[in-house]
Amino acid sequence: MYRNVNALIVCQISDIIMSRQMHARRLEGIDKNIWVEFTQLAADYQAVNLGQGFPDFAPPKFLQEAFCKAVSGGGLMHQYTRAFGHPSLVTILAQLFGRLVGHEIQPLEDVLVTIGAYQALFCTFQALVDEGDEVIIIEPFFDCYQPMVKMAGGKQVYMPLRPRGGSNLSSGDWVLCAEELASKFTAKTKAIVINTPNNPTGKVYKTEELQVIADLCIKHDVVCISDEVYEWLTYDGAKHVKIASLAGMWERTVTIGSAGKTFSATGLKVGWAIGPSRLIKHLKTVHQNSIYHCPTAAQVRTTLPFLECLFSVVLSR
């Protein structure tokens, strides 16, 4: 009898405990992800998954060989490294992108190495967006921007690219209306998110388009979050321009990049955020208190040599 009574009490206590809300409210409305659903559907029906952002071929042979050398490169390749990026990697990133934006970048202050561009975006929204801040997101957009803004307590404000007449539209025919964009900026606007080259349209923003965005950012004292993971993948003469290179924009831009996209090796998961130390230092706080640091071998023996190669290409221009 006592055993039955005790069991009943335990069940009642369990019901009381589990009846309380267990999840954080910031997760409400973002627990579903369309790409998780599409990936499962593609697997179930053996369909080609056009939503998955990776190629169906192996990365270059030299990258595979470099990674093999990395994991057999001695004990230190398997240990912790500097939390915000291995010194040799942040140095080459600073040299490469400093030349591209026309600004001297301090490697230990202005660069944060992350677990892919995805974590760089997460750190940026968590570090810079506060409760009630408005964040302008240009549509169509990479799917994580919206839930990341919401998790940070911000409010998404959508600004669509619109087709510029005619049939047989190309990516360049999707444009911003300057007047409509200006109307989206308010006293609560904290940031604007741009993605160039754009996923999913492939649009590469022209300098004059970026200048419209830059002028509004400066006028309203707004941060620009520029997702540029496809910057090396431009075609038909299109030229990628970094908005941080425009006058007055280095001081207010966080530029997001990725080695995985550049080298067709998305599993590499090495990304970065580059910007003025007054912004990047806050990203570092989030990074430090979430993942601490990125895999050492992927930074030093795999990513570094190819960024050096890119740097030599940029120098030769």
Side-chain angles (χ1 to χ4, degrees), residues 31-74:
D31 54 326
K32 303 295 185 183
N33 183 285
I34 190 171
W35 299 120
V36 173
E37 184 175 349
F38 277 10
T39 298
Q40 186 60 54
L41 287 170
D44 291 344
Y45 293 96
Q46 297 183 333
V48 175
N49 187 354
L50 298 180
Q52 203 72 324
F54 62 82
D56 61 354
F57 52 84
K61 189 70 174 178
F62 56 80
L63 188 141
Q64 298 179 58
E65 293 172 350
F67 199 77
C68 288
K69 291 180 180 178
V71 296
S72 58

Side-chain angles (χ1 to χ4, degrees), residues 119-136:
Q119 196 233 340
L121 287 163
F122 179 79
C123 286
T124 303
F125 290 122
Q126 286 293 316
L128 303 183
V129 177
D130 214 344
E131 191 76 29
D133 285 343
E134 293 181 352
V135 179
I136 298 171

